[in-house]
Amino acid sequence: MVRWGMIGAGTIGREWMADAIAAQPDGELRGIASSDPQRARAFAQEKGIPVAYESVAALLADPDIDAVYISTTNDLHKSQTLAAAAAGKHILCEKPLALTLDDAREMVAACAAAGVVLGTNHHLRNAATHRAMRELVTSGAIGDVQAARVFHAVHLPPHLQGWRVKRPDAGGGVILDITVHDADTVRFVLDDEIATVTAMTASQGMGEGVEDAVMGVMRTAQGRLVQFHDSFTARHAYTGFEVHGTDGSLYARNVMTQQPVGTVVLRREGVEEEVTVAPENLYVRSVRQFNAAVSGVGQPAATAHDGLCSLAVALAALESARTGCIAHVPAV
Ligand code: NDP
C-alpha cells in the first residue's frame, strides 16, 4: 500500500491527480499540503482527503506518508523534491522537472542517493493512442520512420491564464508547458532521442513577458525530422500527431490532450484503417505504474531520465528562439 501526500492544491490535482491517486487499489491518498493552509483544508474537504497539513514540512515529517505528488508552479519543483527526498519520500513530480538542467540533475541525483523513486508526470505516453502508435512504429508497420508532426496548439482556459502566461520566474511560457510534453511524446512514440532543435516564438495575445506560441523543427538522433506547433491561443484547432514512414503513415487526431480520447488512422498505399485502441484514464495509468515502481516492479511510465530529456529539449527550443540558431540538446 502506497500512502500518498499531495504538495500543492491546484488545478491538475483537482481535475485529475487526486482522483487518480485515490483510484488505486494499492494506494491511498492520505493528505495534502499547500503554501496556504486554508487552501489545503478546502481542497481536502472537497476531495475527501483525511489530513490537511499546516505546511509542506509537516507533510514531509509524517512517517505515514510514503510518496508525494508535486504539482506546484515549476520554480518550486526543485526545492520541494530535494526536501521530499531528504525525508525519504518517493516523488512523482510534475513537468518540467525544473527550470534548468543543472537543477533537474541535482534532483535526480538526490533521489538516487536517498534511494527513492522519482517519476515525471508526462501523461501523454500513458494514452492508449500514443501507445498504439509506438507499437506500430517499433514493430515496423510503417517501415522506416522519416518524419513526424505534432499539432499541440490549444486555447488555455481562463482559469489557467495566471503564472503560465505572465510569470517567467515561475517557469511560464508555452515551451516549458507544452513543448516539453511534445518532446516526451516524440521520444516515446518514435523510440528515439532528440538531438537538435530550431524554434521561433511569438506572443499572440496571452503571453506577458513569455511566449504563448512556438513553431519549430527537431532532428532526432536517428535523423528523423519533427515539426511542432504549440500555442495557448488557438481557439479552434484540433490537436494531432502524425508519423510518416517508408511503408505507411499514422494520423492521430485529438490526441494531445488530457482526456482518454482521439483516433489513430494507419494509411498505407492509399488505404486507411482506424487503429483499435482501448482508452484508459491517462493519469490513473501513470499512478498505477508509479505505485508498482515503488513496490519494486518496473519503473514509472516516465522516469526521472525521461524528465531530464524532455526538459533538455524544451530548454534547447528556448535557446534557439532566443539566439536564432539551431540548438543542440545536451546529453543528460
Ligand atoms: P495551478 O496554477 O492551478 O496551480 C499551481 C500551484 O499554485 C498549486 O499547486 C498551488 O500551490 C498554487 N495555487 C493554487 N491556487 C492558488 C491561488 N488561488 N493563489 C495562489 N496560488 C495558488 O497550475 P496547474 O495545477 O495547472 O499546474 C501545476 C503543475 O502541474 C505545473 O508544474 C504544470 O506544468 C503541471 N501540469 C501538468 C499537467 C500534466 O498533464 N502532466 C497538466 C497541467 C499542469 P500551493 O497550494 O502550494 O500554493
Side-chain angles (χ1 to χ4, degrees), residues 9 11-12 34-35 39 71 74 94-95 121 163-164 283:
T11 309
I12 176 80
S34 163
S35 65
R39 187 157 53 242
S71 68
N74 302 334
E94 269 306 340
K95 41 52 65 170
N121 203 31
W163 60 272
R164 270 185 180 78
Y283 299 95

Side-chain angles (χ1 to χ4, degrees), residues 98-113:
L99 302 187
T100 71
L101 212 45
D102 280 347
D103 282 354
R105 286 190 182 108
E106 197 179 327
M107 294 159 68
V108 175
C111 290

Side-chain angles (χ1 to χ4, degrees), residues 73-94:
T73 51
N74 302 334
D75 55 321
L76 297 176
H77 295 174
K78 177 192 174 186
S79 58
Q80 292 173 337
T81 294
L82 294 182
K89 312 298 186 194
H90 303 287
I91 301 150
L92 180 56
C93 185
E94 269 306 340

